[in-house]
Amino acid sequence: MADMVQRIAKKLYHGDIEAVAELVQDALDAGMAPSEVLSDALLAGMDEVGRDFKAGVLFVPEVMFSARAMKAGMAVLRPLLAESDIASAGKCVLGTVKGDLHDIGKNLVTMMLDGGGFEAIDLGIDLDPSTFVDAVREHKPDLVGMSALLTTTMVQMKATIEALEEAGLRDSVKIMIGGAPVTAAFAEQIGADAYAPDAATAVDLARELMA
Ligand code: B12
């Protein structure tokens, strides 16, 4: 079993989508519990991807392939995990703020959160503050993630937080923000709960915010 776990984690690291799906099925057929496959093989593999991304060993395209491989493995596990009622790490709605069309970083954060065991709901790009408000009402998430890549759209993060405050929803969620021009100081200034500089840190941060 240990060998199987390592093989899955390795294929995941290398972004081999088909192999991960097949090996996850093999592990289940061999009698491994879905929760074990998830934690020991997939999440462990994804943690390594996160560490190496932070360290500059892996880059965006590689991480995207790993995240897709993670998704493929999760697709095999999901029905079984639902049966065994394994709690998700938390629910997060994410999107790029109004006026901003950049979504590569936001997609990466969504995929990494997904890979980290969160239920990550991608709301899209160019989102009006009211769209975040509606999504919080509809999905009742634990976390809200906002992305901005332009200095001109960063202000929309503040507008979104204000809209959540006006709707009486601000205290029901933790808010994390990111994007190239965003800083921890800016997060504090606009009343967000946290800032992460990259997708791997975003997952660590989301876990901290859930604790
Ligand atoms: C690709 C790109 C585009 C693409 C976007 C394609 C897409 N689907 O996203 C296109 C061509 C459409 C584009 C358009 C424009 N762009 Co542009 N673009 C870029 C570029 C080259 C890369 C951005 C990127 O994807 N980086 C890779 C990802 C992985 O990194 P990231 O986004 O920073 O995300 C990471 C972290 O920031 C963090 N993160 C991101 N989001 C979140 C969210 C949360 C919650 C958390 C916790 C973390 C987090 O984690 C991510 C993963 O590690 C940047 C330059 C740069 N180096 O940043 C310019 C850049 C952002 N663009 C710029 C500009 C000016 C524009 C345009 C205005 C150009 C024009 N004149 O039309 C338009 C604006 C369109 C609009 N309204 O949004 C400027 C912004 C300048 C500024 N200070 O405001 C930049 C910096 C280029 C430059 N040096 O001038 N762009």
Side-chain angles (χ1 to χ4, degrees), residues 13 15 20 27 36 39 48 65 72 80 82 93 98 103 115 167 185 200-201 209:
Y13 185 94
V20 169
E36 259 180 282
S39 60
E48 202 183 339
F65 272 107
L80 302 164
V93 296
K98 189 176 179 180
D103 68 355
T201 312
L209 290 172

Side-chain angles (χ1 to χ4, degrees), residues 53 60 64 92-110 112-113 125-126 144-154 157 175-182 194-203 205:
F53 179 52
V60 172
M64 287 197 157
C92 182
V93 296
L94 296 103
T96 303
V97 295
K98 189 176 179 180
D100 202 319
L101 308 177
H102 295 85
D103 68 355
I104 297 170
K106 181 262 300 167
N107 292 349
L108 200 52
V109 173
T110 307
M112 291 289 279
L113 282 173
I125 54 173
D126 190 15
V144 172
M146 283 187 273
S147 182
L149 264 286
L150 300 171
T151 42
T152 49
T153 57
M154 282 165 72
M157 293 176 154
I175 298 176
M176 58 179 188
I177 62 172
V182 178
Y195 152 80
D198 57 63
T201 312
V203 179
L205 187 68

Side-chain angles (χ1 to χ4, degrees), residues 137 159 161-170:
R137 278 211 186 95
I161 293 176
E162 284 167 359
L164 286 167
E165 273 165 7
E166 274 163 31
L169 295 167
R170 171 65 186 94

